[in-house]
Each structure stands twice: as structure tokens, then as C-alpha cells.
């Protein structure tokens, strides 16, 4: 961080002040090895470390991937890059292209012979892209003068981190501040025999959707509800579409055990909680999607007295991402009450880095963070679900505008648009401030991102009506929405 010379010319003549940052003073004493040590090389940790280096801090980032139960490990970049958002979206795209090929015939493309999908080709292409991102992250850290250490980090005290290599060699680093950004890992249901031995993990509906889309026979077993935490009307539309798309659902069913047969197939035994009956069937793969657990156990937090939420195991943090121990901060998926989303962690990490360097006091705003579920029919949302809006404001104090619409691209292709729907949840009084916006349809992420900006500006229903739509798009239907649920009128869009 550069020393700053400020010159003020006032009525008393020339007044010169020399301003030195605290960082300069500490570095001059050589008290710590680093200004900042970040434990965790995922999206958030990388963003935080690079931003800190950009504003003049001496930074090290530790990243170490504990192999999964199947022995899977990956490079720098965390869950999102390696086994999350990036490969998921690419496989979702593969499935969308399969649907597009079917649509293409209706649009006049002459496609001869059967169309089939080759998993190995897709997997290799996706893996190659992920490896390029791993390499890119290493290059960026080097370019920005961030020290990257492939070590498993744990805390010794509020200024000391111990790093262990795979071979068990120990390295000690000291830092003015320590940031924990280790995220989470998928859970296994440890009470179900065979689950850990024979299962893999990922995200339920998104994986089921693209697996169905590339032609694989896929079943989703749902213990209670789908898309917990999301608007449940929208969740129902997503799963209804998936069922017509070809994904099978076993509703209100609880798995009991998984056995590997001599043929190599996996036999799953489950109970239908409606009837109490037991069922069995065989599958090639069993994928568990029962939530994620924070990576806190090996960090040595208990020795330092870092407060955790006893139920979730996540780190309790303040608005500034501080933990209960001075000089130790945490953000991203590992923090209690934070959205488990990559862009949230990236932005929070950058803001934290600026604050720790004394360059800003801006806090992360966790309200109205938009997100999208990349199921076959995509679902994008920002703000409150209808249920949460009712809970906070009361049913009589909210107004819900909604519409069933048909994307133009579905018309010639003769695709069913029964689940293409949008709703705008507003306060009923005054300017009708928008509380939540929900959309199922093509390109939901691209559509929702634009409307998310409006939330940061305090968008109202009146603002929506004043906005001229782009014709002919799906997003246009949002600015035209005018029928309320309360009215009971048919919400199907007709004509322009």
C-alpha cells in the first residue's frame, strides 16, 4: 500500500502532512510473514486474496482438496469451478442442445438418422475446460503476487496458520489477519447402509434434468419437498415440467439401504411413506443430494474459541464477516446465514479484502440476491418467495401479479409451455414495492439478472409498468404482467 503525501494550501499558508497506513508501519517492523492469509482456494477465497494483493497487501492463499470417498480430487478453484456450477451448466447446455436438435426438424433442418449422445466426448470436453480454469487461477495468483500454497491449513492462534502437505510436512505462517473460506462438501446419509460405499454426490434436480436430457433413465427420490427454501409454487412447476420431460419421481419415499449385486448393479431399497410399503429396484448409479456440510472440522476452531452454530456447524459471523475471535474472519458457504452462492462469496471476499486493507468500509449486502436453478425448464428468482412475503407482511398486505406465457421459440417447435410462468410479488399498498420476482422459462438466469438490478434501486410495480418491453422476448412478459391472483381471472397471456 503506497505511502500518501497530502498537501493542503489554506489561509495559514502551506500545510504538509505525511500519512502512513497502519500496514506500512506493521510491514516496517516485520511483525508478520503476511498481512493476510486465506484458507480456501475456492471462488471466494481466490477473489479475496487477489483483491487484497491489488490494494497492496502481502497475501498467501492455502488450498487443499481432501479426496472424496470415491477418491475424486481436483485442482485450484473450489467446488464451483471443479464439481459445481461450471461443469453443471455445461452439461445442462449439452441437454438443451439435445432438445434443440428435436426442435430443429420442425424449423426445417433436415437431420438424417438417429441422434444419440456420447458421454465420453462431453466429459472430456468439460474436464478440459475445467483444467484450463485451474491453470488460469494459478496464473492469476502469480500475476497478482499472491503466494499459492497447496497445503491443508488450520489455525494455531489468531495470527498463526499451520499448513500440512499431503506427505505431512508442516509449514507455519503468521499473518495480521486470517480469513477462512473453506466452503462445504456434500453430505452422505450415514444412517443408510451402503450409501457411502456405493454412492456419489451432487445436486438433485439439476443433475437429474441433464441426465434425462442426454437420454439416461433417471429417477429422483424425494423425501419431503423439492427445492426446499424456494417458492413452492415455482418448485411444483419445475418438477411438473421434468416429469413431462421424462424424469421419473418417487415422491414421499425414504431410502433404507443400497446393496451392490454380483452383476455390479446397485439395488436400492426404500419405503413409501404414504403406504408404508417397501420397494426395491436396481440402478447403475446412485447419487445423493441431501445437502452440504461446512468444512470446519479440521481447522482447529474449537481450540481458539471460534463460535459455531451448533445445529449447522457453520461459523457465526458479524455483518463485517468477523468471527468471535479478533483478526479471524470467515465468509462464503462456511458462514452462518449466508446464501450458498458463488457470486455472493466473490463479492463478499472482495469487500472484506478492501476493508481489511483500510481502503473501504462498505459491507456486503446479502438482501435480494438473485439466483437460477438450471433444470430443464430453468427457474430464476430474486427477492422473497410468495410464502415468505405472506409470512412477513400478511396475505392481505401483498399483491401477486402473475402470467402463464408461451415462449415464441416453443410455438413452431410445438413444445408444451404449460409450466412457463412468472409472478411478481408486491406490497399491496403505496407504490407497491416489489418484494419478489419469479420466472420459469428459457434463459431464466439471463432474464433474472437484469431485473435484479431493479431490486437494488427499490423497484415498484409502477416502475415495471413504465418499462417498455423488448419484443418478442420472454422477459417482455414480466413488464406486461397485469392480472392479480386475488382477482381469480385467467392469467394466460393472449396475443401481444
Amino acid at each position: 500500500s503506497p505511502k500518501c503525501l497530502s498537501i493542503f494550501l489554506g489561509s495559514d499558508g502551506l500545510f504538509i502532512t505525511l500519512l502512513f497506513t497502519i500496514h506500512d508501519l506493521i510491514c516496517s517492523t516485520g511483525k508478520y510473514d503476511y498481512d493476510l492469509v486465506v484458507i480456501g482456494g475456492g471462488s471466494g477465497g481466490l477473489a479475496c486474496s487477489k483483491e487484497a494483493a491489488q490494494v497492496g497487501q502481502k497475501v498467501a492463499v492455502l488450498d487443499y482438496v481432501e479426496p472424496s470417498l470415491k477418491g475424486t480430487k481436483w485442482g485450484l478453484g473450489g467446488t464451483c469451478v471443479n464439481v459445481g456450477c461450471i461443469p453443471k451448466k455445461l452439461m445442462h447446455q449439452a441437454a438443451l442442445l439435445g432438445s434443440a436438435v428435436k426442435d430443429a426438424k420442425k424449423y426445417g433442418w433436415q437431420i438424417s438418422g438417429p441422434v444419440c449422445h456420447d458421454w465420453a466426448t462431453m466429459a472430456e470436453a468439460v474436464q478440459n475446460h475445467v483444467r484450463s480454469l485451474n491453470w488460469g487461477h494459478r496464473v492469476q495468483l502469480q500475476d497478482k503476487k499472491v503466494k499459492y500454497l497447496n497445503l491443508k491449513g488450520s489455525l494455531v492462534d489468531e495470527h498463526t496458520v499451520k499448513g500440512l502437505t499431503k506427505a505431512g510436512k508442516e509449514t507455519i505462517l503468521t499473518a495480521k489477519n486470517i480469513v477462512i473460506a473453506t466452503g462445504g462438501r456434500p453430505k452422505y446419509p450415514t444412517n443408510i447402509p451402503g450409501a457411502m460405499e456405493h454412492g456419489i454426490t451432487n445436486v438433485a434436480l439439476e443433475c437429474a434434468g441433464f441426465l434425462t436430457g442426454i437420454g439416461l433413465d433417471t429417477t429422483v427420490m424425494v423425501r419431503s419437498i423439492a427445492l426446499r427454501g424456494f417458492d413452492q409454487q415455482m418448485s411444483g412447476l419445475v418438477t411438473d415440467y421434468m416429469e413431462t420431460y421424462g424424469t421419473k419421481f418417487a415422491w414421499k419415499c425414504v431410502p433404507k439401504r443400497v446393496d451392490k449385486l454380483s452383476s455390479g448393479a446397485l439395488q436400492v431399497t426404500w419405503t413409501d411413506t404414504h403406504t408404508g410399503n417397501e420397494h426395491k429396484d436396481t440402478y447403475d448409479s446412485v447419487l445423493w443430494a441431501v445437502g452440504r456440510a461446512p468444512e470446519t472440522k479440521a481447522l482447529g476452531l474449537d481450540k481458539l474459541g471460534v463460535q459455531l452454530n451448533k445445529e449447522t456447524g457453520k461459523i457465526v459471523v458479524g455483518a463485517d464477516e468477523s468471527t468471535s475471535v479478533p483478526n479471524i474472519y470467515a465468509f462464503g458457504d462456511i458462514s452462518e446465514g449466508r446464501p450458498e452462492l458463488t457470486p455472493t462469496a466473490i463479492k463478499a471476499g472482495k469487500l472484506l479484502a478492501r476493508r481489511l486493507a483500510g481502503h473501504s468500509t462498505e459491507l456486503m449486502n446479502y438482501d435480494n440476491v438473485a439466483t437460477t436453478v438450471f433444470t430443464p425448464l430453468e427457474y430464476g428468482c430474486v427477492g422473497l418467495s410468495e410464502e415468505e412475503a405472506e409470512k412477513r407482511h400478511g396475505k392481505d398486505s401483498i399483491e401477486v401479479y402473475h402470467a402463464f406465457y408461451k415462449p415464441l421459440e416453443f410455438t413452431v417447435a410445438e413444445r408444451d409451455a404449460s409450466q412457463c410462468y412468472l409472478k411478481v410479488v408486491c406490497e399491496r399498498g403505496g407504490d407497491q414495492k416489489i418484494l419478489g420476482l419469479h420466472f420459469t422459462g428459457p434463459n431464466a438466469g439471463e432474464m433474472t439478472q437484469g431485473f435484479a438490478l431493479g431490486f437494488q434501486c427499490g423497484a415498484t410495480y409502477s416502475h415495471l409498468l413504465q418499462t417498455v418491453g423488448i419484443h418478442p422476448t420472454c422477459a417482455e412478459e414480466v413488464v406486461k404482467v397485469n392480472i392479480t391472483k386475488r382477482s381469480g381471472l385467467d392469467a394466460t397471456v393472449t396475443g401481444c
Side-chain angles (χ1 to χ4, degrees):
S1 160
K3 298 175 179 65
C4 176
L5 174 66
S6 296
I7 302 176
F8 300 94
L9 187 59
S11 57
D12 295 331
L14 193 63
F15 173 59
I16 302 174
T17 58
L18 288 171
L19 301 176
F20 292 89
T21 63
I22 294 172
H23 165 66
D24 293 323
L25 296 172
I26 287 176
C27 285
S28 67
T29 63
K31 187 175 180 183
Y32 302 113
D33 300 328
Y34 296 94
D35 298 306
L36 182 67
V37 167
V38 178
I39 305 176
S43 304
L46 291 174
C48 181
S49 60
K50 288 187 287 186
E51 188 69 18
Q54 288 285 89
V55 293
Q57 301 266 284
K58 187 181 179 185
V59 188
V61 60
L62 280 67
D63 188 62
Y64 182 88
V65 180
E66 200 71 61
S68 72
L69 290 173
K70 293 289 182 185
T72 307
K73 56 188 180 200
W74 48 85
L76 186 62
T79 298
C80 172
V81 165
N82 293 282
V83 287
C85 321
I86 299 299
K88 173 270 302 284
K89 180 80 184 289
L90 291 172
M91 292 181 186
H92 171 61
Q93 176 64 11
L96 292 181
L97 288 170
S99 298
V101 169
K102 292 174 189 171
D103 291 350
K105 294 177 183 178
K106 299 276 177 64
Y107 277 95
W109 287 96
Q110 296 180 10
I111 298 166
S112 59
V115 176
C116 58
H117 182 266
D118 181 66
W119 175 275
T121 300
M122 177 193 71
E124 184 181 5
V126 171
Q127 293 281 30
N128 286 343
H129 178 66
V130 169
R131 288 190 191 102
S132 76
L133 295 177
N134 297 147
W135 175 251
H137 282 307
R138 294 188 72 154
V139 170
Q140 286 173 34
L141 291 180
Q142 193 170 7
D143 288 348
K144 289 182 167 57
K145 306 292 191 291
V146 176
K147 180 71 174 175
Y148 162 59
L149 299 163
N150 183 208
L151 300 173
K152 186 173 185 177
S154 60
L155 301 175
V156 178
D157 60 39
E158 63 268 33
H159 293 293
T160 311
V161 171
K162 178 174 72 175
L164 280 178
T165 66
K166 185 181 176 183
K169 186 183 176 184
E170 191 176 290
T171 301
I172 298 293
L173 305 92
T174 61
K176 180 175 185 291
N177 292 302
I178 298 167
V179 167
I180 302 167
T182 49
R185 293 287 287 263
K187 291 180 189 172
Y188 276 90
T190 53
N191 60 325
I192 297 174
M196 296 173 77
E197 296 93 322
H198 308 308
I200 57 176
T201 57
N202 215 285
V203 182
L205 295 190
E206 292 178 326
C207 281
F210 71 65
L211 291 171
T212 302
I214 61 176
L216 301 177
D217 183 355
T218 309
T219 301
V220 180
M221 187 173 292
V222 186
R223 294 167 298 168
S224 52
I225 59 172
L227 293 179
R228 184 183 304 280
F230 287 90
D231 186 291
Q232 283 302 292
Q233 181 192 8
M234 306 308 292
S235 169
L237 292 167
V238 166
T239 53
D240 285 350
Y241 184 91
M242 288 181 69
E243 287 190 296
T244 61
Y245 186 73
T247 306
K248 297 168 187 166
F249 282 82
W251 293 99
K252 305 291 183 188
C253 291
V254 178
K256 287 184 68 177
R257 60 180 301 110
V258 181
D259 297 291
K260 191 164 189 175
L261 305 179
S262 55
S263 64
L266 300 176
Q267 180 179 268
V268 180
T269 305
W270 72 89
T271 303
D272 183 325
T273 59
H274 275 312
T275 62
N277 294 337
E278 188 172 289
H279 299 274
K280 291 182 182 180
D281 206 342
T282 55
Y283 302 90
D284 296 308
S285 300
V286 174
L287 186 152
W288 299 101
V290 293
R292 295 171 63 80
E295 283 282 85
T296 53
K297 289 186 175 67
L299 290 170
L301 302 180
D302 51 342
K303 290 183 293 182
L304 272 70
V306 174
Q307 186 185 351
L308 303 180
N309 179 298
K310 289 179 182 176
E311 288 183 22
T312 63
K314 294 189 175 188
I315 299 173
V316 176
V317 291
D320 62 349
E321 325 300 352
S322 59
T323 71
S324 58
V325 175
N327 307 106
I328 298 176
Y329 298 81
F331 70 95
D333 292 9
I334 202 164
S335 304
E336 181 57 39
R338 304 301 197 220
E340 295 187 3
L341 297 168
T342 294
T344 319
I346 290 172
K347 189 164 181 61
K350 288 181 177 179
L351 290 174
L352 174 59
R354 290 174 202 158
R355 291 196 304 273
L356 292 178
H359 279 242
S360 168
T361 57
E362 184 185 353
L363 298 173
M364 176 66 186
N365 176 10
Y366 289 99
D367 292 331
N368 297 324
V369 174
T371 190
T372 293
V373 182
F374 291 99
T375 37
L377 186 69
E378 297 175 6
Y379 164 36
C381 61
V382 58
L384 303 182
S385 65
E386 187 175 345
E387 295 95 335
E388 187 61 29
E390 275 188 20
K391 186 176 166 185
R392 293 192 194 183
H393 298 270
K395 191 165 188 173
D396 292 334
S397 296
I398 64 168
E399 197 73 270
V400 180
Y401 295 89
H402 67 151
F404 284 94
Y405 71 98
K406 187 160 193 171
L408 184 64
E409 49 266 54
F410 279 28
T411 54
V412 170
E414 298 176 316
R415 284 173 65 177
D416 180 20
S418 304
Q419 288 82 32
C420 291
Y421 175 77
L422 65 93
K423 68 178 171 184
V424 183
V425 184
C426 306
E427 289 180 354
R428 196 175 178 193
D431 293 333
Q432 291 194 286
K433 182 182 178 183
I434 301 175
L435 303 171
L437 189 149
H438 303 264
F439 176 95
T440 50
N443 307 301
E446 312 298 340
M447 199 284 307
T448 308
Q449 181 71 82
F451 284 104
L453 172 63
F455 272 70
Q456 301 306 319
C457 304
T460 64
Y461 179 62
S462 174
H463 288 135
L464 209 61
L465 295 185
Q466 290 166 28
T467 304
V468 178
I470 300 171
H471 189 67
T473 64
C474 297
E476 177 190 22
E477 303 301 339
V478 177
V479 301
K480 288 165 51 183
V481 69
N482 63 89
I483 292 171
T484 67
K485 273 193 173 184
R486 192 183 305 278
S487 72
L489 297 174
D490 183 2
T492 304
V493 173
T494 55
C496 293

